[in-house]
DNA sequence: CTCTTGATCTTCT
DNA sequence: GAAGATCAAGAGC
């Protein structure tokens, strides 16, 4: 493990200008495990509520610090033009994993939300590593912790998520999700790397995190 | 630091 | 054929 613990209480922002979520978790246990019911709400409620939650795959992972919301009414969503072999799981019930191939070489993981047929999902874009950092470094061939999970393709490589994980349920092994111990400071902004519906502010992040795929403006 | 490019799978035109 | 919810390496400033 390579968690840096704070020298001072994290509720003194003038001493720690940029507290990371791992610092907060060191002072509180993980929250309750998230069940399928957590995802059976609007994707626009679930997405910000996932910031600060802990995601583990086979015990490796960390704190979700960046996500994006997609919905079938959204031209940027894979589900916008209806079901295909790739996006089929998005049209199923909430609480399952949707994994797709990105640009032919990377995998990206999503949590299906809302209800059967609504075809909405949250893309996991960045994680603050806390569990199994040695395994992540090996898989990513990268030492710098900030480079392990700072992007959707990096997250899947570090957590060894691939198409084999597509359609897995989110509340049973090998996947584990835990609610955040308290509500963190969340920022929203426009999504990354898309060319349709670019203006929609459906990217959410932990304010001030060093582990984002890209800073939020302001 | 920013910008460009290649890698190469799935879907859509 | 072309585009895309990406990343890493290399060139240039």
């Amino acid at each position: 493990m390579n968690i840096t613990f704070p020298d001072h209480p994290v509720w003194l922002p003038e001493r720690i200008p940029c507290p990371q979520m791992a610092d907060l978790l060191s002072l509180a246990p993980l929250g309750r495990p998230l069940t399928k019911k957590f995802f059976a709400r609007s994707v626009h409620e679930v997405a910000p509520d996932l910031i600060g939650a802990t995601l583990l795959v086979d015990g490796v992972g960390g704190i979700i610090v960046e996500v994006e919301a997609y919905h079938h009414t959204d031209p940027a969503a894979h589900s916008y033009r209806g079901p295909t072999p790739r996006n089929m799981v998005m049209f199923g019930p909430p609480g399952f994993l949707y994994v797709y191939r990105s640009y032919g070489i990377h995998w990206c993981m999503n949590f299906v939300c809302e209800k059967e047929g609504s075809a909405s999902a949250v893309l996991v874009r960045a994680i603050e590593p806390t569990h199994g950092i040695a395994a992540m470094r090996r898989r990513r061939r990268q030492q710098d912790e900030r480079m392990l999970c700072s992007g959707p393709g990096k997250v899947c490589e570090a957590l060894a998520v691939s198409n084999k994980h597509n359609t897995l349920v989110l509340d049973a092994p090998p996947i584990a999700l835990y609610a955040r111990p308290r509500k963190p400071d969340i920022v929203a902004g426009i999504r990354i790397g898309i060319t349709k519906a670019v203006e929609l502010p459906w990217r959410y992040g932990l304010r001030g995190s060093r582990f984002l795929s890209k800073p939020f403006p302001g």
Side-chain angles (χ1 to χ4, degrees), chain A residues 113-192:
Chain A
C113 294
E114 211 154 316
K115 62 189 180 200
E116 184 156 2
S118 87
S120 64
V122 176
L123 171 69
V124 180
R125 286 197 55 90
I127 287 176
E128 176 181 341
T130 58
H131 291 64
I133 291 176
M136 295 194 227
R137 286 191 166 123
R138 197 161 54 242
R139 293 163 177 170
R140 293 269 305 125
R141 299 171 298 284
Q142 168 68 247
Q143 287 302 304
D144 183 354
E145 278 186 32
R146 294 176 57 169
M147 297 297 286
L148 296 179
C149 297
S150 53
K154 299 179 192 177
V155 168
C156 284
E157 186 169 39
L159 275 57
V161 167
S162 72
N163 59 335
K164 287 181 296 202
H165 297 78
N166 192 38
T167 75
L168 286 183
V169 70
L170 295 176
D171 61 1
I175 302 174
L177 276 157
Y178 301 94
R180 61 198 181 201
R182 71 196 77 206
K183 188 178 172 76
D185 196 0
I186 296 169
V187 280
I190 61 172
R191 295 172 293 181
I192 305 241

